[in-house]
Amino acid sequence: MLYHVLGLLTACLWGSTFVASKILLNAGLTPAEIMCLRFVLAWLLMLPWCHKSMMTSWKDEFLFMTLGLSGGSLYFLAENTAVKLTSATSTVALLVCTTPIITALMNRCIHRDEHLSSRFITGSMIALCGVSLVVLNGVFVLDDDPMVIILSIAASALWGVYSIVIRQMEGRYSSATITRKVFFYGVVTMLPMCVYESMAGESSLTIGTLMEPVVGGTLLFLAIVASLLCFLTWNIVIRRIGIVAAGNYLYFNPVTSLFVAYLVLDERITIYAIVGCVLTIAGVYMCNKKRPKNVGQEKTI
């Protein structure tokens, strides 16, 4: 139960990063700069207490780089590019929320001994319907641009890859070591985009901007809480309850975003969103609720 609660709290904290990133974007930072700055700060903060075994085997370093790409640079690039290509950001948010289902299907294909129960499938559909209501929030506008759809689904698939590779690394490295490597390779693989944005004149980042209390405070929140703390706890949760059970809590990302945006950005909440929250909670509960021992085994696929 402790790790389920930890997974829920981590997903909810990640849900608030949408508002935090929006504050930094309004201040003139680019998506690539936001990711690099938060990962660099998180990596530096980890060094005093997690600095041993910097190099592993080449095979494992490749897996760590895969984690940095799938959970860092490529994920952010796919999602943010999709947002730039559309005026209906709800399309991106909704498709990215398919991450738990895509992760479960990928895990099922790779690990044939694990089954998706009818309870999980039903709960996922209910949660996804709830998330749809939360994301749309009474404004039913979607974008049918194929590139937006492809990039959004790609972002979900990349997080699925991240979760599956994490499973392969568990037991061999500590969660702290894995998290530190994710930050390092995430920054290394995102630096070319930062350089490109700077050369193209898209960046307006200055020291003065970073010294502003709102910008500096928001960046510290993203680095310390949303990156260092959340990535560390998420890797622990995956190790303890599995990637499928942990992934279900990602349905709460837009729910948290909705309420934080209401409190910070004064965005409205409709009855559709409230009903969606209830459905999301019910769906995730159904997905992760264990059957009593005296009840027969569920039909699986």
Side-chain angles (χ1 to χ4, degrees):
M1 180 60 68
L2 172 63
Y3 296 107
H4 281 278
V5 172
L6 193 60
L8 173 61
L9 291 176
T10 302
C12 288
L13 284 171
W14 270 336
S16 66
T17 60
F18 171 79
V19 177
S21 296
K22 193 168 185 178
I23 292 173
L24 295 181
L25 289 170
N26 292 338
L29 278 71
T30 67
E33 288 172 341
I34 294 172
M35 199 220 82
C36 278
L37 287 171
R38 61 186 277 193
F39 273 27
V40 166
L41 286 174
W43 185 79
L44 291 174
L45 289 171
M46 291 191 72
L47 285 182
W49 54 277
C50 183
H51 57 273
K52 296 181 179 179
S53 302
M54 294 298 291
M55 284 298 296
T56 63
S57 68
W58 288 108
K59 179 181 177 181
D60 286 353
E61 285 299 320
F62 174 77
L63 292 176
F64 283 130
M65 185 173 68
T66 302
L67 290 174
L69 285 165
S70 58
S73 54
L74 288 183
Y75 174 85
F76 279 90
L77 283 175
E79 186 177 66
N80 290 323
T81 303
V83 171
K84 286 183 178 180
L85 291 175
T86 180
S87 58
T89 55
S90 57
T91 302
V92 181
L94 184 57
L95 291 174
V96 169
C97 284
T98 61
T99 298
I101 296 176
I102 292 177
T103 301
L105 291 174
M106 293 173 66
N107 184 62
R108 174 70 177 90
C109 292
I110 295 174
H111 303 284
R112 302 294 297 178
D113 56 322
E114 295 194 9
H115 302 284
L116 300 181
S117 66
S118 57
R119 178 188 294 271
F120 170 83
I121 295 172
T122 303
S124 295
M125 292 300 102
I126 293 174
L128 191 57
C129 288
V131 166
S132 301
L133 292 175
V134 171
V135 169
L136 296 174
N137 198 18
V139 182
F140 298 92
V141 179
L142 295 174
D143 193 327
D144 59 357
D145 185 344
M147 188 54 66
V148 172
I149 296 173
I150 291 172
L151 287 171
S152 301
I153 296 297
S156 296
L158 284 167
W159 191 259
V161 171
Y162 175 85
S163 301
I164 290 172
V165 176
I166 283 287
R167 173 176 173 171
Q168 295 181 10
M169 306 299 281
E170 66 182 13
R172 298 161 56 194
Y173 298 96
S174 67
S175 296
T177 298
I178 294 173
T179 303
R180 184 197 62 197
K181 292 285 189 178
V182 169
F183 294 153
F184 175 77
Y185 282 112
V187 171
V188 168
T189 53
M190 182 61 90
L191 279 177
M193 178 57 67
C194 289
V195 173
Y196 168 78
E197 290 178 343
S198 179
M199 295 178 63
E202 298 180 13
S203 173
S204 59
L205 179 64
T206 64
I207 298 298
T209 301
L210 294 178
M211 295 301 293
E212 294 178 10
V214 174
V215 174
T218 302
L219 188 58
L220 286 176
F221 166 77
L222 288 175
I224 298 173
V225 179
S227 295
L228 194 157
L229 180 62
C230 285
F231 270 86
L232 185 60
T233 56
W234 189 254
N235 293 340
I236 294 173
V237 168
I238 287 178
R239 179 174 299 189
R240 294 293 183 175
I241 69 176
I243 63 177
V244 175
N248 289 326
Y249 292 113
L250 294 177
Y251 285 121
F252 284 99
N253 278 359
V255 175
T256 307
S257 296
L258 177 76
F259 286 101
V260 173
Y262 170 75
L263 294 173
V264 178
L265 303 177
D266 199 29
E267 295 187 3
R268 69 191 186 99
I269 297 178
T270 68
I271 186 64
Y272 297 101
I274 295 174
V275 173
C277 290
V278 174
L279 288 176
T280 302
I281 294 171
V284 173
Y285 176 79
M286 179 177 291
C287 285
N288 288 346
K289 186 178 184 298
K290 294 183 178 180
R291 289 179 62 86
K293 293 182 178 181
N294 59 342
V295 177
Q297 204 173 22
E298 287 183 295
K299 180 181 179 180
T300 57
I301 62 171

